[in-house]
PDB file of all heavy atoms in Angstrom:
ATOM      1  N   ASP A 241      -3.909 -17.392  -9.247  1.00  0.00           N
ATOM      2  CA  ASP A 241      -4.539 -16.545 -10.236  1.00  0.00           C
ATOM      3  C   ASP A 241      -5.576 -15.787  -9.535  1.00  0.00           C
ATOM      4  O   ASP A 241      -6.432 -16.274  -8.783  1.00  0.00           O
ATOM      5  CB  ASP A 241      -5.136 -17.430 -11.329  1.00  0.00           C
ATOM      6  CG  ASP A 241      -5.685 -16.541 -12.513  1.00  0.00           C
ATOM      7  OD1 ASP A 241      -5.325 -15.387 -12.544  1.00  0.00           O
ATOM      8  OD2 ASP A 241      -6.544 -16.990 -13.265  1.00  0.00           O
ATOM      9  N   THR A 242      -5.762 -14.480  -9.689  1.00  0.00           N
ATOM     10  CA  THR A 242      -6.661 -13.645  -9.114  1.00  0.00           C
ATOM     11  C   THR A 242      -7.547 -12.978 -10.135  1.00  0.00           C
ATOM     12  O   THR A 242      -7.122 -12.810 -11.261  1.00  0.00           O
ATOM     13  CB  THR A 242      -6.002 -12.477  -8.192  1.00  0.00           C
ATOM     14  OG1 THR A 242      -5.231 -11.661  -9.152  1.00  0.00           O
ATOM     15  CG2 THR A 242      -5.063 -13.103  -7.154  1.00  0.00           C
ATOM     16  N   PRO A 243      -8.746 -12.536  -9.775  1.00  0.00           N
ATOM     17  CA  PRO A 243      -9.639 -11.906 -10.766  1.00  0.00           C
ATOM     18  C   PRO A 243      -9.025 -10.608 -11.230  1.00  0.00           C
ATOM     19  O   PRO A 243      -8.288  -9.874 -10.468  1.00  0.00           O
ATOM     20  CB  PRO A 243     -10.905 -11.538  -9.921  1.00  0.00           C
ATOM     21  CG  PRO A 243     -10.849 -12.577  -8.830  1.00  0.00           C
ATOM     22  CD  PRO A 243      -9.414 -12.808  -8.445  1.00  0.00           C
ATOM     23  N   GLY A 244      -9.322 -10.192 -12.459  1.00  0.00           N
ATOM     24  CA  GLY A 244      -8.797  -8.922 -13.029  1.00  0.00           C
ATOM     25  C   GLY A 244      -9.313  -7.792 -12.112  1.00  0.00           C
ATOM     26  O   GLY A 244     -10.463  -7.809 -11.629  1.00  0.00           O
ATOM     27  N   VAL A 245      -8.439  -6.812 -11.891  1.00  0.00           N
ATOM     28  CA  VAL A 245      -8.787  -5.678 -11.037  1.00  0.00           C
ATOM     29  C   VAL A 245      -8.841  -4.395 -11.850  1.00  0.00           C
ATOM     30  O   VAL A 245      -8.139  -4.246 -12.821  1.00  0.00           O
ATOM     31  CB  VAL A 245      -7.757  -5.515  -9.964  1.00  0.00           C
ATOM     32  CG1 VAL A 245      -7.826  -6.683  -9.001  1.00  0.00           C
ATOM     33  CG2 VAL A 245      -6.306  -5.319 -10.461  1.00  0.00           C
ATOM     34  N   ARG A 246      -9.724  -3.448 -11.472  1.00  0.00           N
ATOM     35  CA  ARG A 246      -9.778  -2.202 -12.147  1.00  0.00           C
ATOM     36  C   ARG A 246      -9.296  -1.145 -11.135  1.00  0.00           C
ATOM     37  O   ARG A 246      -9.224   0.053 -11.463  1.00  0.00           O
ATOM     38  CB  ARG A 246     -11.199  -1.947 -12.662  1.00  0.00           C
ATOM     39  CG  ARG A 246     -11.554  -2.794 -13.855  1.00  0.00           C
ATOM     40  CD  ARG A 246     -12.960  -2.484 -14.281  1.00  0.00           C
ATOM     41  NE  ARG A 246     -13.253  -3.355 -15.488  1.00  0.00           N
ATOM     42  CZ  ARG A 246     -14.418  -3.635 -15.896  1.00  0.00           C
ATOM     43  NH1 ARG A 246     -15.501  -3.084 -15.289  1.00  0.00           N
ATOM     44  NH2 ARG A 246     -14.690  -4.364 -16.931  1.00  0.00           N
ATOM     45  N   SER A 247      -9.125  -1.505  -9.920  1.00  0.00           N
ATOM     46  CA  SER A 247      -8.548  -0.585  -8.910  1.00  0.00           C
ATOM     47  C   SER A 247      -7.780  -1.303  -7.933  1.00  0.00           C
ATOM     48  O   SER A 247      -7.974  -2.538  -7.747  1.00  0.00           O
ATOM     49  CB  SER A 247      -9.701   0.262  -8.206  1.00  0.00           C
ATOM     50  OG  SER A 247     -10.541  -0.629  -7.435  1.00  0.00           O
ATOM     51  N   PHE A 248      -6.892  -0.696  -7.210  1.00  0.00           N
ATOM     52  CA  PHE A 248      -6.082  -1.264  -6.130  1.00  0.00           C
ATOM     53  C   PHE A 248      -5.904  -0.267  -5.010  1.00  0.00           C
ATOM     54  O   PHE A 248      -4.916   0.413  -5.052  1.00  0.00           O
ATOM     55  CB  PHE A 248      -4.759  -1.835  -6.726  1.00  0.00           C
ATOM     56  CG  PHE A 248      -4.230  -3.040  -6.034  1.00  0.00           C
ATOM     57  CD1 PHE A 248      -4.473  -4.359  -6.574  1.00  0.00           C
ATOM     58  CD2 PHE A 248      -3.625  -2.980  -4.746  1.00  0.00           C
ATOM     59  CE1 PHE A 248      -4.094  -5.459  -5.970  1.00  0.00           C
ATOM     60  CE2 PHE A 248      -3.257  -4.164  -4.148  1.00  0.00           C
ATOM     61  CZ  PHE A 248      -3.445  -5.382  -4.724  1.00  0.00           C
ATOM     62  N   GLY A 249      -6.861  -0.159  -4.131  1.00  0.00           N
ATOM     63  CA  GLY A 249      -6.802   0.860  -3.127  1.00  0.00           C
ATOM     64  C   GLY A 249      -5.579   0.688  -2.200  1.00  0.00           C
ATOM     65  O   GLY A 249      -5.200  -0.402  -1.856  1.00  0.00           O
ATOM     66  N   LEU A 250      -5.084   1.842  -1.757  1.00  0.00           N
ATOM     67  CA  LEU A 250      -3.837   1.802  -0.915  1.00  0.00           C
ATOM     68  C   LEU A 250      -3.964   2.651   0.322  1.00  0.00           C
ATOM     69  O   LEU A 250      -3.003   3.098   0.949  1.00  0.00           O
ATOM     70  CB  LEU A 250      -2.590   2.347  -1.735  1.00  0.00           C
ATOM     71  CG  LEU A 250      -2.178   1.559  -2.977  1.00  0.00           C
ATOM     72  CD1 LEU A 250      -1.116   2.335  -3.768  1.00  0.00           C
ATOM     73  CD2 LEU A 250      -1.726   0.220  -2.654  1.00  0.00           C
ATOM     74  N   ALA A 251      -5.196   2.835   0.766  1.00  0.00           N
ATOM     75  CA  ALA A 251      -5.455   3.762   1.923  1.00  0.00           C
ATOM     76  C   ALA A 251      -4.845   3.194   3.155  1.00  0.00           C
ATOM     77  O   ALA A 251      -4.536   3.901   4.089  1.00  0.00           O
ATOM     78  CB  ALA A 251      -6.967   3.941   2.138  1.00  0.00           C
ATOM     79  N   HIS A 252      -4.525   1.893   3.232  1.00  0.00           N
ATOM     80  CA  HIS A 252      -3.905   1.205   4.381  1.00  0.00           C
ATOM     81  C   HIS A 252      -2.379   1.320   4.429  1.00  0.00           C
ATOM     82  O   HIS A 252      -1.818   0.917   5.400  1.00  0.00           O
ATOM     83  CB  HIS A 252      -4.294  -0.280   4.338  1.00  0.00           C
ATOM     84  CG  HIS A 252      -3.700  -1.024   3.258  1.00  0.00           C
ATOM     85  ND1 HIS A 252      -4.235  -0.907   1.942  1.00  0.00           N
ATOM     86  CD2 HIS A 252      -2.754  -1.970   3.116  1.00  0.00           C
ATOM     87  CE1 HIS A 252      -3.635  -1.782   1.171  1.00  0.00           C
ATOM     88  NE2 HIS A 252      -2.711  -2.374   1.878  1.00  0.00           N
ATOM     89  N   VAL A 253      -1.779   1.867   3.309  1.00  0.00           N
ATOM     90  CA  VAL A 253      -0.409   1.895   3.201  1.00  0.00           C
ATOM     91  C   VAL A 253       0.199   3.305   3.596  1.00  0.00           C
ATOM     92  O   VAL A 253      -0.315   4.306   3.087  1.00  0.00           O
ATOM     93  CB  VAL A 253       0.170   1.574   1.780  1.00  0.00           C
ATOM     94  CG1 VAL A 253       1.620   1.586   1.758  1.00  0.00           C
ATOM     95  CG2 VAL A 253      -0.369   0.185   1.373  1.00  0.00           C
ATOM     96  N   SER A 254       1.164   3.401   4.477  1.00  0.00           N
ATOM     97  CA  SER A 254       1.753   4.657   5.000  1.00  0.00           C
ATOM     98  C   SER A 254       2.864   5.076   4.038  1.00  0.00           C
ATOM     99  O   SER A 254       3.428   4.372   3.295  1.00  0.00           O
ATOM    100  CB  SER A 254       2.216   4.485   6.366  1.00  0.00           C
ATOM    101  OG  SER A 254       3.400   3.658   6.468  1.00  0.00           O
ATOM    102  N   VAL A 255       3.200   6.395   4.177  1.00  0.00           N
ATOM    103  CA  VAL A 255       4.301   6.976   3.515  1.00  0.00           C
ATOM    104  C   VAL A 255       5.569   6.263   3.854  1.00  0.00           C
ATOM    105  O   VAL A 255       6.438   5.972   3.117  1.00  0.00           O
ATOM    106  CB  VAL A 255       4.385   8.501   3.802  1.00  0.00           C
ATOM    107  CG1 VAL A 255       5.695   9.061   3.233  1.00  0.00           C
ATOM    108  CG2 VAL A 255       3.198   9.195   3.213  1.00  0.00           C
ATOM    109  N   GLU A 256       5.777   5.979   5.168  1.00  0.00           N
ATOM    110  CA  GLU A 256       6.901   5.305   5.685  1.00  0.00           C
ATOM    111  C   GLU A 256       7.124   3.961   5.120  1.00  0.00           C
ATOM    112  O   GLU A 256       8.190   3.524   4.796  1.00  0.00           O
ATOM    113  CB  GLU A 256       6.830   5.147   7.202  1.00  0.00           C
ATOM    114  CG  GLU A 256       6.964   6.453   8.056  1.00  0.00           C
ATOM    115  CD  GLU A 256       5.707   7.400   7.907  1.00  0.00           C
ATOM    116  OE1 GLU A 256       4.606   6.794   7.585  1.00  0.00           O
ATOM    117  OE2 GLU A 256       5.801   8.590   8.026  1.00  0.00           O
ATOM    118  N   THR A 257       6.079   3.187   4.843  1.00  0.00           N
ATOM    119  CA  THR A 257       6.216   1.886   4.157  1.00  0.00           C
ATOM    120  C   THR A 257       6.715   2.019   2.780  1.00  0.00           C
ATOM    121  O   THR A 257       7.590   1.212   2.420  1.00  0.00           O
ATOM    122  CB  THR A 257       4.760   1.198   4.168  1.00  0.00           C
ATOM    123  OG1 THR A 257       4.296   0.982   5.502  1.00  0.00           O
ATOM    124  CG2 THR A 257       4.816  -0.193   3.393  1.00  0.00           C
ATOM    125  N   VAL A 258       6.258   3.007   2.030  1.00  0.00           N
ATOM    126  CA  VAL A 258       6.770   3.187   0.627  1.00  0.00           C
ATOM    127  C   VAL A 258       8.246   3.635   0.729  1.00  0.00           C
ATOM    128  O   VAL A 258       9.083   3.126  -0.003  1.00  0.00           O
ATOM    129  CB  VAL A 258       5.940   4.204  -0.139  1.00  0.00           C
ATOM    130  CG1 VAL A 258       6.459   4.353  -1.478  1.00  0.00           C
ATOM    131  CG2 VAL A 258       4.466   3.813  -0.058  1.00  0.00           C
ATOM    132  N   LEU A 259       8.563   4.573   1.602  1.00  0.00           N
ATOM    133  CA  LEU A 259       9.926   5.007   1.676  1.00  0.00           C
ATOM    134  C   LEU A 259      10.843   3.934   2.071  1.00  0.00           C
ATOM    135  O   LEU A 259      11.989   3.953   1.616  1.00  0.00           O
ATOM    136  CB  LEU A 259       9.964   6.153   2.770  1.00  0.00           C
ATOM    137  CG  LEU A 259      11.332   6.842   2.962  1.00  0.00           C
ATOM    138  CD1 LEU A 259      11.770   7.515   1.641  1.00  0.00           C
ATOM    139  CD2 LEU A 259      11.257   7.858   4.091  1.00  0.00           C
ATOM    140  N   ALA A 260      10.462   2.986   2.918  1.00  0.00           N
ATOM    141  CA  ALA A 260      11.280   1.907   3.294  1.00  0.00           C
ATOM    142  C   ALA A 260      11.810   1.038   2.122  1.00  0.00           C
ATOM    143  O   ALA A 260      12.861   0.377   2.281  1.00  0.00           O
ATOM    144  CB  ALA A 260      10.539   0.962   4.258  1.00  0.00           C
ATOM    145  N   ALA A 261      11.133   1.110   1.025  1.00  0.00           N
ATOM    146  CA  ALA A 261      11.599   0.341  -0.201  1.00  0.00           C
ATOM    147  C   ALA A 261      12.687   1.191  -0.900  1.00  0.00           C
ATOM    148  O   ALA A 261      13.228   0.658  -1.941  1.00  0.00           O
ATOM    149  CB  ALA A 261      10.343   0.261  -1.152  1.00  0.00           C
ATOM    150  N   PHE A 262      13.091   2.254  -0.440  1.00  0.00           N
ATOM    151  CA  PHE A 262      14.115   3.139  -1.056  1.00  0.00           C
ATOM    152  C   PHE A 262      15.210   3.476   0.028  1.00  0.00           C
ATOM    153  O   PHE A 262      15.397   4.615   0.421  1.00  0.00           O
ATOM    154  CB  PHE A 262      13.583   4.437  -1.608  1.00  0.00           C
ATOM    155  CG  PHE A 262      12.627   4.227  -2.698  1.00  0.00           C
ATOM    156  CD1 PHE A 262      11.265   3.893  -2.521  1.00  0.00           C
ATOM    157  CD2 PHE A 262      12.994   4.451  -4.090  1.00  0.00           C
ATOM    158  CE1 PHE A 262      10.359   3.654  -3.593  1.00  0.00           C
ATOM    159  CE2 PHE A 262      12.171   4.296  -5.105  1.00  0.00           C
ATOM    160  CZ  PHE A 262      10.776   3.861  -4.913  1.00  0.00           C
TER     161      PHE A 262
END
Side-chain angles (χ1 to χ4, degrees):
D241 187 20
T242 62
V245 294
R246 288 180 181 161
S247 66
F248 212 99
L250 297 172
H252 64 287
V253 180
S254 68
V255 171
E256 289 72 24
T257 295
V258 181
L259 183 60
F262 293 81

